Structure formats: C-alpha cells, structure tokens
Amino acid sequence: VQLVESGGGLVQAGGSLRLSCAASGFTFDDYVICWFRQAPGKEREGVSCITSTDGATYYSDSVKGRFTVSSDNAKDTMYLHIHEMKPEDTAVYYCAGYQSIAGVVADPSHPFDYWGQGTQVTVSS
C-alpha cells in the first residue's frame, strides 16, 4: 500500500505546476485524498482534499482560487494544479488518504491511513 507523489520542481513566480499522487494497494475510489504542504520551520498545512466517491473538494483559505484538485479514479491518481505560484508556495507537498465516510465532508484534520513521501516544490521570485 502506498501513495507516491510526483511533479514537483523549480518554478518561477506566476507559473503553474501539476502534482500527481498515485495510489496502489488499496481501492482509491473509497478514499478521501488530501494534499498537505510543509515549508521549512512551519507547521504542516492541509491545503486541499477530494472525496473520490463523489468528487467533493476542500480548499484551505490560503490557496482557494489558485489550487485545483481533481482525480482520475481509473488511474488511481489524484492531481493538484497550482496556478499563479508564489514564493510562499515553496514547500514539500505530501498526499495522504483515509477511508471516506458517507455523508461526511473531506477534512484534512482527520486521521490518515496512508502518506506519501513528499515532493519538493520551489518557487523562485
């Protein structure tokens, strides 16, 4: 069972990036998958989630309007599109998953079953 992030790299401010989170070993479409980021010296922040069963999404206020989350259940992959990137988006980005609960919205504070290893995103000014 694992989640593997990819797509990180160095981007100029104002640019865009697409991160991927590929799942294996569990039924992706029964899960809530969230993206977190952690910058040096800062606490980990839950920025976006998607519930694979119905496509419901969550965005933190800090990224709303610039981040878009989507999933391809056939590929067991979730994507995070980051637009209009800023230097403060620089962080290690992680995806994590927990089994969805009917009628309960995605919540980045929920305990997670699986975590990826992270992918570095660096935004230059």
Side-chain angles (χ1 to χ4, degrees):
V1 174
Q2 61 177 352
L3 292 169
V4 179
E5 302 95 336
S6 61
L10 175 63
V11 183
Q12 287 191 332
S16 299
L17 202 63
R18 188 185 77 167
L19 305 182
S20 300
C21 172
S24 63
F26 63 96
T27 306
F28 185 81
D29 57 6
D30 289 340
Y31 275 72
V32 173
I33 306 293
C34 293
W35 283 98
F36 294 81
R37 66 183 180 184
Q38 188 163 23
K42 294 189 176 181
E43 291 188 357
R44 187 174 62 199
E45 175 190 15
V47 295
S48 183
C49 302
I50 188 165
T51 303
S52 299
T53 50
D54 60 8
T57 57
Y58 160 89
Y59 297 97
S60 67
D61 288 341
S62 63
V63 306
K64 201 171 293 183
R66 294 193 302 117
F67 285 30
T68 304
V69 65
S70 62
S71 66
D72 185 339
N73 288 5
K75 296 182 178 180
D76 288 341
T77 301
M78 177 237 204
Y79 304 99
L80 184 68
H81 300 255
I82 309 175
H83 307 283
E84 300 174 21
M85 298 187 75
K86 306 175 181 180
E88 50 263 43
D89 293 325
T90 295
V92 178
Y93 284 71
Y94 301 88
C95 61
Y98 66 87
Q99 196 157 16
S100 61
I101 303 168
V104 179
V105 297
D107 180 1
S109 67
H110 192 282
F112 284 79
D113 300 320
Y114 310 116
W115 286 87
Q117 83 290 346
T119 185
Q120 176 70 48
V121 172
T122 304
V123 184
S124 63
S125 57

